[in-house]
Amino acid sequence: MQLTLEFGGGLELLCESVKVHNVNVDLQNGAEKLNMKDLLCWVRTNLIKERPEMFMKGDSVRPGVLVLVNDCDWELSGQLDTTLEEKDVVVFISTLHGG
Amino acid sequence: MESNGRDAFRILHELDSLRAAKADIDSRISALEAELHHATLQNGVVPNGSSPVISTAIDSLLSDHHDHNLTPEMIHRYSRHLLLPSFGVQAQSNLLNSSVLVVGAGGLGSPALLYLAACGVGRLGIVDHDVVELNNMHRQIIHTEAFIGRPKVKSAAAACRSVNSTVQIVEHQEALRTSNALEIFSKYDVIVDATDNAPSRYMISDCCVVLGKPLVSGAALGLEGQLTVYNYNGGPCYRCLFPTPPPTTACQRCADSGVLGVVPGIIGCLQALEAIKIASVVGEPLSGRMLLFDALAARIRIVKIRGRSSECEVCGEKSTFTQQQFREFDYEKFTQSPLSPSPLKLNLLQADSRISSKAYHDRVANGEAHVLVDVRPAHHFKIVSLPKSLNIPLPSLEARLPEISSALKEEEERKGAGSDLSAQLYVICRRGNDSQRAVQSLHKMGFTSARDIVGGLESWAQDVDPNFPTY
Ligand SMILES: [Zn+2]
């Protein structure tokens, strides 16, 4: 499944400072759909190169990270259960505090 | 040196009093001008020679046909606002009757305050406890060099008054705490969060919820910015979005990570815009949405965020968060970080594994055989470094141990034919925290005599070489 994954607010530092990743995520054998829970595992294995605790906590993202599926907060689409479709854009962004 | 210092002090002092006098005169001039304008219209006495008859006619037209309280001076000053069909007299009147509080007169607060003063909010409050520093000037454009070392509130208030002497500027020269926040916030209609740390953001949001105030929240770091409006018209509060504070390691500061000056400038301008929209009751405030700004990619994206959470501990249905609870809440403990962030000072090593910058300097001067490893990131090393130091950034330390071994060997060979001479190993960084972490791992990896330089390059600049640049 073709997806665009974007990292911002400093999270890109965990994946070699690359902000935009056009990726092809294979469905697990037998699975018919990919949801956000699967995608987080995939991201952690394939894109996060350092300090995974800065990205995830338990099986979700760490506090302070907003997840947006097609420019929409994942809270509105079912969080970890959000089902992904071909060509979806998923953004992971860390909240900023500076000023 | 000392008399130079005293001269500078005297000059600064005189500049101060002259500026204060100038501000007084300016405000007196605008008041008199407004009075004169008014008197002219009322009496038909026109000093510049136009006909008194026409003037009286205009007067009667005006008094018959306007149902607002804008003075002639206001009409002139805000004419470009009044000419906007979607803004006009009503929105400007709303603005003039409103009050806005800006918390933080830094990178975000600078442009926000200037625009809010210029546009004519009735009362504009400024909260800050900091002083103006040279390394603020690249982004905190409200301050001028003459105010370096003086309170930001004073500097910002002077700038706002010089832009618009008709706005009431209120100076709150104090740190925002749970003990004073309720009292300060309750005097304003709209709150602008232009602070730079996590505990302040939670505290400001909670205080706004408790008092029912809309909150315009902006943040910027590096080359990115974020903006949204909280607690507006049933929309979410900060805690609805971030119920659990992030780990402290995720809270980067401009002083550590850097920030391109114009980035908070842009977000601060947008904060002024949202505050103006709310205060004047026009347009659709950015509530339930968040603006994400990426300066490098030249991209602004506006995303839909969750609404008010019924589970929210502060604004949710079951919440019983009261003013009293707010006063007693420990935001520093909650976020594990201080309200007025100061550089971290770790103390990880035994005293005999550390050396002061002065003592290190003496050893170098005595020609001691040694290797100095600088564990800062490469882009820090490029700004400034000590002579002959070897840059091995902390994350790559383990992988680059052989470089340290060979540097030590080389130094021993260079210094003396005597085989019993062993070269010392010192580690330095910017402030003396990473150097301790590095020494800890060096000890574990067999370099048991490694020592860190206490306080890093900052202490070198302070105690050894006052001309050494700090950043
Ligand atoms: Zn809430």
Side-chain angles (χ1 to χ4, degrees):
Chain A
M1 178 181 283
Q2 299 276 344
L3 296 171
T4 302
L5 308 181
E6 297 188 27
F7 296 82
L11 290 179
E12 71 281 7
L13 299 175
L14 307 178
C15 22
E16 297 175 320
S17 297
V18 178
K19 283 192 166 173
V20 183
H21 301 252
N22 291 302
V23 300
N24 199 344
V25 181
D26 292 328
L27 295 179
Q28 293 294 314
N29 29 339
E32 284 175 14
K33 292 183 207 165
L34 182 77
N35 65 21
M36 277 304 301
K37 193 171 175 180
D38 306 324
L39 181 66
L40 283 182
C41 286
W42 188 92
V43 167
R44 187 182 164 145
T45 314
N46 294 279
L47 293 182
I48 303 294
K49 304 289 185 214
E50 57 178 282
R51 294 176 289 159
E53 73 280 3
M54 293 298 285
F55 181 64
M56 287 185 73
K57 187 177 178 186
D59 60 358
S60 191
V61 292
R62 70 148 166 87
V65 173
L66 280 180
V67 183
L68 307 160
V69 180
N70 300 325
D71 284 349
C72 201
D73 191 344
W74 74 340
E75 285 283 335
L76 301 168
S77 57
Q79 255 216 19
L80 287 167
D81 297 327
T82 309
T83 308
L84 294 164
E85 315 261 336
E86 192 73 23
K87 301 246 160 57
D88 275 352
V89 179
V90 183
V91 178
F92 301 97
I93 196 145
S94 178
T95 173
L96 302 178
H97 303 98
Chain B
M1 281 302 277
E2 203 170 294
S3 82
N4 277 347
R6 223 175 292 139
D7 274 354
F9 184 78
R10 180 186 53 77
I11 293 170
L12 282 174
H13 195 73
E14 193 174 341
L15 278 171
D16 274 353
S17 44
L18 287 172
R19 267 194 210 98
K22 181 168 174 280
D24 283 347
I25 291 172
D26 281 344
S27 84
R28 187 72 193 129
I29 288 174
S30 13
L32 285 172
E33 277 172 354
E35 217 177 297
L36 176 67
H37 199 80
H38 199 64
T40 315
L41 285 175
Q42 297 232 310
N43 307 329
V45 182
V46 181
N48 62 13
S50 22
S51 156
V53 181
I54 293 172
S55 205
T56 314
I58 291 171
D59 185 27
S60 73
L61 271 176
L62 267 180
S63 47
D64 286 343
H65 291 278
H66 76 276
D67 53 358
H68 57 73
N69 295 320
L70 299 182
T71 65
E73 195 218 349
M74 286 170 176
I75 290 175
H76 192 53
R77 180 188 280 268
Y78 304 117
S79 55
R80 272 51 172 176
H81 281 176
L82 305 181
L83 288 167
L84 285 168
S86 53
F87 200 83
V89 165
Q90 187 56 54
Q92 186 65 47
S93 301
N94 293 343
L95 205 50
L96 288 161
N97 287 326
S98 75
S99 52
V100 179
L101 178 74
V102 177
V103 188
L108 298 165
S110 286
L113 282 163
L114 287 172
Y115 272 109
L116 289 167
C119 78
V121 297
R123 187 155 36 85
L124 181 58
I126 314 168
V127 184
D128 205 303
H129 69 287
D130 225 350
V131 295
V132 180
E133 290 182 66
L134 182 63
N135 61 12
N136 298 155
M137 310 290 298
H138 78 117
R139 68 183 191 283
Q140 303 183 10
I141 55 162
I142 201 169
H143 309 299
T144 52
E145 288 180 2
F147 278 92
I148 288 174
R150 302 185 48 214
K152 286 185 182 174
V153 161
K154 293 275 172 212
S155 166
C160 289
R161 289 189 184 109
S162 68
V163 169
N164 190 345
S165 59
T166 66
V167 169
Q168 190 194 341
I169 309 290
V170 186
E171 302 173 18
H172 301 279
Q173 194 189 318
E174 53 195 317
L176 193 73
R177 301 273 165 193
T178 51
S179 52
N180 60 10
L182 288 163
E183 199 202 329
I184 296 175
F185 281 25
S186 60
K187 295 178 194 139
Y188 297 89
D189 303 326
V190 182
I191 311 296
V192 175
D193 183 348
T195 62
D196 61 359
N197 62 81
S200 295
R201 292 186 181 278
Y202 279 100
M203 177 170 69
I204 290 168
S205 174
D206 289 356
C207 191
C208 285
V209 171
V210 165
L211 295 172
K213 307 277 182 187
L215 170 61
V216 180
S217 179
L221 187 85
L223 291 142
E224 286 180 73
Q226 298 171 354
L227 172 82
T228 188
V229 172
Y230 291 116
N231 200 43
Y232 176 82
N233 220 356
C237 80
Y238 189 67
R239 286 215 206 210
C240 293
L241 244 72
F242 305 109
T244 313
T248 50
T249 42
C251 299
Q252 301 173 67
R253 308 184 317 134
C254 294
D256 295 327
S257 307
V259 59
L260 192 72
V262 65
V263 174
I266 288 163
I267 299 297
C269 285
L270 289 168
Q271 286 184 278
L273 173 60
E274 291 305 313
I276 289 168
K277 280 158 63 184
I278 297 169
S280 61
V281 204
V282 296
E284 283 180 45
L286 192 73
S287 166
R289 294 178 292 159
M290 184 180 277
L291 181 148
L292 308 170
F293 174 55
D294 182 337
L296 270 194
R299 193 156 66 162
I300 292 176
R301 93 194 298 156
I302 292 170
V303 300
K304 191 172 178 347
I305 54 175
R306 68 201 73 170
R308 173 158 290 183
S309 160
S310 57
E311 309 288 305
C312 178
E313 298 223 352
V314 173
C315 79
E317 281 157 21
K318 288 163 232 150
S319 166
T320 53
F321 198 77
T322 59
Q323 297 200 6
Q324 190 54 35
Q325 276 167 290
F326 172 78
R327 271 193 210 94
E328 287 161 8
F329 198 90
D330 188 339
Y331 288 91
E332 298 189 321
K333 197 171 152 206
F334 178 60
T335 57
Q336 294 289 302
S337 41
L339 277 163
S340 21
S342 56
L344 183 72
K345 280 246 179 292
L346 290 176
N347 204 351
L348 304 173
L349 301 172
Q350 301 285 331
D352 59 0
S353 293
R354 315 198 68 187
I355 183 171
S356 71
S357 55
K358 263 193 173 148
Y360 169 74
H361 172 255
D362 293 344
R363 289 173 178 230
V364 175
N366 289 335
E368 186 192 76
H370 78 280
V371 168
L372 177 63
V373 174
D374 186 327
V375 293
R376 291 174 300 152
H379 67 284
H380 285 230
F381 192 75
K382 275 186 196 149
I383 300 172
V384 65
S385 64
L386 285 177
K388 290 192 211 155
S389 49
L390 174 64
N391 184 212
I392 303 183
L394 184 59
S396 58
L397 186 65
E398 211 163 321
R400 293 176 64 181
L401 288 179
E403 280 177 61
I404 299 179
S405 304
S406 59
L408 286 166
K409 200 180 274 175
E410 211 173 287
E411 177 75 357
E412 282 159 15
E413 282 163 9
R414 199 177 62 79
K415 279 285 174 180
S419 55
D420 57 336
L421 178 79
S422 67
Q424 301 294 311
L425 175 58
Y426 300 110
V427 182
I428 198 162
C429 65
R430 184 182 179 192
R431 298 197 181 101
N433 293 321
D434 276 354
S435 59
Q436 295 183 63
R437 296 186 176 109
V439 165
Q440 273 192 330
S441 30
L442 284 167
H443 285 179
K444 279 184 206 142
M445 294 179 289
F447 294 83
T448 50
S449 66
R451 270 178 285 185
D452 96 299
I453 295 175
V454 178
L457 292 169
E458 277 190 358
S459 80
W460 181 269
Q462 200 168 11
D463 302 332
V464 178
D465 178 5
N467 291 321
F468 194 81
T470 52
Y471 59 93

